[in-house]
Amino acid sequence: MALDKMEDLSLKEPLRQVEIGEVEGIPFTKRMCTTWDQVWKFKARPDDLLIATYAKAGTTWTQEIVDMIQQNGDVEKCRRATTYRRHPFLEWSTQESAAARYSGLELAEAMPSPRTIKTHLPVQLVPPSFWEQNCKIIYVARNAKDNLVSYYHFHRMNKGMPDPGTWEEFIEKFMTGKVLWGSWYDHVKGWWKAKDKHRILYLFYEDMKENPKQEIQKILKFLERDVNQEVLNKILHYTSFEIMKGNPMTNYTNEFQGIMDHSVSPFMRKGVVGDWKNHFTVAQNKKFDEDYKKKMADTSLVFRSEL
Ligand code: PPS
């Protein structure tokens, strides 16, 4: 089991200080709290597309699929900038003084329409203008255990995230929602409810892995776009894990040098369903499952943790 090795690695990492605050009970970085009022007042436009996810659920993958569709399969156009800059990350910004200064808000405001915007916000914190403008939203959800594993490794490699602590400690934080963007359980359930009232396409990471063509076709239909077979195959190819892992515009190696350490764990890590089995002990799994049952008893939402 990889557990000993992971605890070892987390001990070797330098301690970091990411200050945490809260907005409406949801843990945010202090920086996000500072800019929150502006984010809440964000002016969505009717042709904005929002890609919403719990962190590590398949955001970047979906962003690349959407951009490939919007560019009609033109790979060069999709390589015009990093994922981060093609699709503003609404609530994320860095300090004014930061070397790689970033403000999702400013980027979005300066962007000509039609815009595609990324967010990890829970549904109740989505700026009201998105609902007022009846914007289309694609939500992607991933099974809790794989999502947790991916989030854990992301904390390890990203100094912009709080220290994850040990694997054991991180499971606890995830289960109690004491992580950035809050409870996974509330997030997936909240968006699941919202899909019945709004223009939301609710997708699952596991379905995308099992049958990417079918899921891309769902996105095409939702966006009211059509592509020929050749372009569809191109989208499939260029949004595969292997190609995206090798693409500096999607693998996050082009940005955040000194913040993301891909030698600790690459951003494009494994991209599979079921990696949780290499992480959870039998006891951890049992505890997690019991807690999961209680937290998910009040929803019709069903996830697959293996294919
Ligand atoms: S973030 O930081 O929240 O935007 O991260 P996000 O993009 O949501 O999630 C990263 C995980 O998605 C995996 N990924 C993919 N899986 C399959 N196919 C493709 N094309 C793909 N692109 C990204 C990525 O590897 C992370 O998952 P893990 O399990 O850590 O590998």
Side-chain angles (χ1 to χ4, degrees):
M1 156 109 10
L3 185 65
D4 295 344
K5 206 170 147 215
M6 286 196 306
E7 283 182 341
D8 227 37
L9 276 170
S10 66
L11 287 174
K12 274 184 215 147
E13 284 167 54
L15 286 174
R16 45 183 122 123
Q17 286 290 322
V18 177
E19 284 190 277
I20 303 299
E22 250 185 41
V23 169
E24 310 274 338
I26 305 294
F28 278 0
T29 60
K30 272 271 155 66
R31 176 79 198 152
M32 285 158 76
C33 295
T34 312
T35 54
W36 177 248
D37 284 352
Q38 291 142 267
V39 172
W40 183 248
K41 286 185 210 137
F42 178 73
K43 285 195 175 66
R45 304 172 193 155
D47 56 357
D48 283 341
L49 172 69
L50 189 65
I51 297 180
T53 55
Y54 190 79
K56 311 321 284 182
T59 331
T60 316
W61 187 9
T62 310
Q63 286 176 268
E64 197 59 16
I65 293 172
V66 164
D67 201 31
M68 280 291 281
I69 291 172
Q70 288 165 340
Q71 308 308 330
N72 199 34
D74 187 328
V75 181
E76 285 318 306
K77 280 193 186 157
C78 291
R79 297 200 177 189
R80 69 194 178 282
T82 59
T83 310
Y84 215 59
R85 303 210 173 255
R86 279 179 278 159
H87 301 151
F89 183 4
L90 185 63
E91 67 272 23
W92 192 256
S93 63
T94 54
Q95 300 286 352
E96 296 293 319
S97 56
R101 202 175 159 275
Y102 183 88
S103 162
L105 257 188
E106 280 177 24
L107 203 60
E109 280 161 1
M111 194 169 265
S113 292
R115 307 178 291 192
T116 297
I117 296 169
K118 158 187 171 175
T119 187
H120 291 320
L121 291 172
V123 72
Q124 72 277 16
L125 292 187
V126 169
S129 62
F130 282 100
W131 310 120
E132 286 155 15
Q133 298 294 340
N134 195 24
C135 297
K136 286 188 186 175
I137 304 177
I138 299 178
Y139 184 80
V140 187
R142 185 178 193 180
N143 81 77
K145 290 181 203 169
D146 282 330
N147 206 140
L148 188 167
V149 167
S150 183
Y151 210 13
Y152 172 69
H153 288 292
F154 188 61
H155 278 72
R156 290 179 49 234
M157 64 85 76
N158 187 343
K159 294 192 186 75
M161 300 293 283
D163 195 299
T166 62
W167 164 241
E168 181 84 29
E169 285 164 353
F170 191 76
I171 299 181
E172 199 59 34
K173 285 182 201 168
F174 185 92
M175 283 166 58
T176 51
K178 294 197 172 88
V179 285
L180 291 184
W181 290 286
S183 158
W184 173 92
Y185 312 85
D186 292 345
H187 207 282
V188 295
K189 286 192 290 184
W191 278 98
W192 182 248
K193 256 193 183 162
K195 79 167 185 349
D196 298 329
K197 287 184 240 126
H198 303 281
R199 290 208 291 176
I200 299 171
L201 175 66
Y202 199 108
L203 299 174
F204 295 91
Y205 181 96
E206 294 73 28
D207 295 346
M208 289 167 67
K209 278 303 290 188
E210 188 176 60
N211 193 343
K213 197 175 199 167
Q214 178 186 290
E215 299 311 296
I216 291 171
Q217 276 161 336
K218 279 189 198 164
I219 297 176
L220 278 163
K221 189 167 173 237
F222 183 66
L223 299 181
E224 296 160 87
R225 300 285 294 238
D226 206 4
V227 293
N228 62 33
Q229 238 354 277
E230 192 196 337
V231 171
L232 182 58
N233 287 335
K234 225 169 146 187
I235 296 174
L236 263 172
H237 175 74
Y238 284 100
T239 60
S240 68
F241 178 79
E242 289 70 26
I243 297 290
M244 282 183 61
K245 187 176 172 71
N247 177 358
M249 291 306 173
T250 55
N251 67 16
Y252 279 80
T253 55
N254 234 1
E255 214 133 13
F256 308 108
Q257 278 113 354
I259 297 174
M260 289 189 185
D261 186 345
H262 296 263
S263 71
V264 172
S265 177
F267 182 92
M268 300 291 293
R269 196 181 59 88
K270 283 197 181 169
V272 296
V273 177
D275 188 40
W276 61 269
K277 291 179 191 167
N278 299 314
H279 291 74
F280 283 72
T281 63
V282 172
Q284 285 165 347
N285 194 38
K286 187 167 178 276
K287 188 174 169 199
F288 191 91
D289 284 349
E290 281 166 8
D291 179 70
Y292 184 95
K293 250 193 204 156
K294 286 185 208 146
K295 291 200 168 98
M296 299 297 276
D298 57 349
T299 180
S300 56
L301 186 51
V302 176
F303 282 90
R304 292 187 293 164
S305 303
E306 53 195 312
L307 290 180

